[in-house]
Amino acid sequence: MAQFLTLSLIFVLFSMVSSFGSVVVSQSLPPPLDPAEQESVYRILESVNSDIQWRSLFPDDLCSSAPHGVVCDYFSDSDAAASDSSAATPHVTELSFGYVSDYSPNPPCDSNSTLDPLLLAPLSHLKKLFFYKCFTQTETPFPDFSPLSSPSTTQNNRSSSSSSLEELVFIENPALVGSLDGKISNLRRLRRLVLTGSGVSGNFSDGFAGFANLEQLTLSRNKFQGEIPTSAFQTLNKLKVLDLSENGFRGNIPASIGNLTELLKIDLSSNEFSGRIPEILKGLHNLEFLDLSYNRFGNYGLPLFLPEMTGLREVYLSGNLLGGQIPEIWGNMRGIKGIGLSGVGLVGNIPKSMGANLRNICYLGLDNNMLEGSVPDEFGDLEMVSELNLGRNNLSGRVPFSAGFVAKLGNKLKLEGNSDLCIDEGLKLSAKVSVSSSSSLGELKVCRQTYIHETAIVNSSPPQFLPSLSFIFLLFLCFV
């Protein structure tokens, strides 16, 4: 009897613990993803890659078990992210497609990938949309996101993707074509717009002026063309990164770029911008990276206002026929780490002040100009430099570098195309040991021992053991 009572008590206690545990588990489980959002994600996955059975592989709640690239967060009624997931509602916040690496194994795209922006409508809290190498073969028009914020959309089924989308990224999608005109102008909360390596064309839209929250605008390696409107950057006061490189933009850089005082990076390289490099850039004191190389800026010399850009760390102006001599501006540019002045039509000597002041320089390109004279001795003291290109100029004289300097730079020390430069024989021998045979040092001639002292030799007295001209003349008179 006692044993029976003991077993009964144990059973009761076990039942109570089990019931209590069930209550705790049921209370701690977050609510499921809204069926409309779940279906939307399935359909988007199927449009990106129809060969994969997404519904079978991920049959459960996608906020609990989803492929990499599908990210959820929990929100309270006030739309703020909630700390207690059991008292909040889950929503999809990020969708990333296209396998990047083992560290970012997003759902892979196939050759027939498509995107219908209307599928995004139920995703009321979507903040990021990312595509990498998804549209590579079949021409696909750039998606029109404008219907997502149409006035007919109801509050309960509002297209919050247009009002909450903060990042729109398309990378390496060469089959993506068409223009942006009117297709993204309603996405006013965008912080990042990245469109690089596509076939999208057209002009720079005036609609960008409405993106007051934009921090990054990258439109590199596309087929944009034409002049940029004067007021294009008037209201982009939060912009930190502006990259319009490798397109067909032309004309002057708009003066409104001077309003972008938060800018950290400007890359307008490989376009057809012309005229003078605008002095208004000097007001961008936070700017660290400036690349205006390979455009058509005119023969106005190197910009003398560069020292006023106190935050500047890298400046690249190569491929513009700026002309003129290298100015003495380097005393106020000691923080510079990269300078590209290749093929800009420079003449005259290389000032010693470059080597004396640019002690933080890592890259210096002065090649393919018309510079003459010697390489300043101060260049041999550039301890931080990892690449120095002085090739294809008219430089002359002895190379002032030590064996250690030559060994450190290796093939990144480029001096070819200067027929009057020479190198000490000992340095050349040590270079052969420490540097690949493809090094440009192998092309330099060895300095003659009398290279520096030729004048002294001409003016020196003849050796004692040779008869003087006067003595020979007297002997000749004696025998006549």
Side-chain angles (χ1 to χ4, degrees):
M1 183 67 177
Q3 186 178 7
F4 175 77
L5 290 173
T6 302
L7 291 174
S8 299
L9 182 60
I10 293 174
F11 178 78
V12 171
L13 291 173
F14 179 79
S15 300
M16 292 175 63
V17 171
S18 299
S19 299
F20 178 74
S22 300
V23 172
V24 171
V25 171
S26 63
Q27 289 180 347
S28 63
L29 285 177
L33 180 64
D34 181 86
E37 288 197 46
Q38 180 102 351
E39 179 63 21
S40 176
V41 175
Y42 278 143
R43 294 181 65 185
I44 294 171
L45 287 166
E46 290 165 351
S47 69
V48 167
N49 194 325
S50 58
D51 294 332
I52 299 177
Q53 301 299 315
W54 299 107
R55 298 172 190 265
S56 300
L57 288 174
F58 301 94
D60 300 322
D61 183 87
L62 288 176
C63 284
S64 300
S65 176
H68 187 281
V70 178
V71 179
C72 295
D73 203 351
Y74 293 86
F75 296 84
S76 66
D77 293 338
S78 62
D79 278 358
S83 58
D84 182 8
S85 61
S86 63
T89 305
H91 293 283
V92 176
T93 57
E94 296 183 16
L95 292 175
S96 298
F97 303 106
Y99 182 87
V100 177
S101 69
D102 289 341
Y103 299 100
S104 298
N106 301 324
C109 301
D110 63 20
S111 58
N112 298 315
S113 294
T114 61
L115 173 63
D116 182 358
L118 291 178
L119 295 177
L120 303 172
L123 307 180
S124 58
H125 291 72
L126 188 66
K127 293 184 178 181
K128 178 180 178 180
L129 188 59
F130 175 96
F131 290 91
Y132 175 71
K133 291 186 176 180
C134 287
F135 311 102
T136 59
Q137 297 183 28
T138 305
E139 282 198 354
T140 304
F142 186 86
D144 185 0
F145 294 94
S146 61
L148 292 176
S149 56
S150 61
S152 61
T153 307
T154 64
Q155 180 64 25
N156 293 332
N157 191 28
R158 63 189 177 93
S159 176
S160 298
S161 58
S162 64
S163 61
S164 64
L165 194 64
E166 297 179 1
E167 299 183 53
L168 183 60
V169 180
F170 290 88
I171 298 176
E172 304 300 332
N173 295 280
L176 202 62
V177 297
S179 70
L180 299 182
D181 290 345
K183 295 179 179 179
I184 61 171
S185 57
N186 293 322
L187 308 181
R188 301 295 177 149
R189 291 193 182 182
L190 281 181
R191 291 187 301 103
R192 294 183 65 218
L193 176 59
V194 177
L195 175 62
T196 178
S198 81
V200 175
S201 58
N203 297 324
F204 191 92
S205 173
D206 287 311
F208 287 119
F211 289 80
N213 296 307
L214 204 60
E215 297 178 7
Q216 178 182 356
L217 177 59
T218 297
L219 302 177
S220 59
R221 294 187 294 113
N222 297 297
K223 296 183 179 180
F224 292 105
Q225 58 187 356
E227 297 187 11
I228 298 179
T230 304
S231 60
F233 307 121
Q234 196 71 42
T235 60
L236 301 181
N237 298 324
K238 295 183 180 180
L239 202 64
K240 292 180 171 60
V241 175
L242 176 63
D243 186 349
L244 307 180
S245 60
E246 296 189 48
N247 282 286
F249 292 118
R250 63 177 185 271
N252 296 324
I253 296 177
S256 59
I257 200 171
N259 296 328
L260 308 181
T261 55
E262 297 296 316
L263 273 177
L264 301 174
K265 173 183 176 178
I266 295 178
D267 189 349
L268 306 180
S269 62
S270 300
N271 279 285
E272 298 178 18
F273 289 109
S274 57
R276 183 189 292 266
I277 296 176
E279 190 171 354
I280 199 168
L281 291 174
K282 70 181 182 182
L284 305 181
H285 297 299
N286 292 319
L287 194 71
E288 298 179 1
F289 181 96
L290 177 63
D291 192 347
L292 304 178
S293 56
Y294 302 103
N295 280 283
R296 298 183 178 181
F297 292 109
N299 186 19
Y300 299 100
L302 297 186
L304 299 180
F305 60 79
L306 290 177
E308 299 182 53
M309 304 176 71
T310 54
L312 203 59
R313 295 296 176 264
E314 297 179 68
V315 55
Y316 303 102
L317 305 175
S318 299
N320 296 286
L321 294 180
L322 304 176
Q325 298 185 348
I326 299 178
E328 295 280 359
I329 59 176
W330 312 106
N332 293 323
M333 299 185 68
R334 298 172 186 261
I336 290 288
K337 296 183 177 181
I339 297 176
L341 298 174
S342 305
V344 297
L346 294 172
V347 298
N349 297 333
I350 301 175
K352 295 182 178 181
S353 60
M354 289 192 80
N357 291 291
L358 300 181
R359 293 308 175 91
N360 291 309
I361 200 75
C362 296
Y363 168 79
L364 177 58
L366 295 173
D367 55 290
N368 290 283
N369 286 292
M370 295 173 282
L371 296 168
E372 55 189 16
S374 61
V375 179
D377 291 342
E378 290 78 1
F379 273 37
D381 298 325
L382 298 177
E383 297 180 355
M384 303 298 293
V385 72
S386 57
E387 182 169 355
L388 177 61
N389 193 344
L390 304 177
R392 295 180 178 84
N393 281 286
N394 299 314
L395 300 172
S396 59
R398 178 178 271 103
V399 171
F401 305 128
S402 66
F405 186 93
V406 170
K408 182 184 74 169
L409 267 66
N411 293 331
K412 295 301 180 72
L413 175 60
K414 301 176 182 179
L415 303 171
E416 71 279 1
N418 293 284
S419 58
D420 291 330
L421 270 184
C422 67
I423 186 172
D424 287 331
E425 185 173 8
L427 182 59
K428 189 163 187 173
L429 290 174
S430 65
K432 286 182 179 180
V433 175
S434 59
V435 182
S436 167
S437 60
S438 63
S439 169
S440 62
L441 292 179
E443 301 179 13
L444 299 182
K445 61 186 179 183
V446 175
C447 298
R448 290 179 292 157
Q449 295 297 324
T450 58
Y451 187 85
I452 296 178
H453 306 290
E454 284 181 346
T455 304
I457 290 175
V458 170
N459 294 331
S460 61
S461 60
Q464 294 293 327
F465 59 84
L466 292 177
S468 67
L469 291 176
S470 300
F471 179 75
I472 294 175
F473 181 70
L474 288 173
L475 285 176
F476 174 78
L477 290 178
C478 291
F479 286 100
V480 172

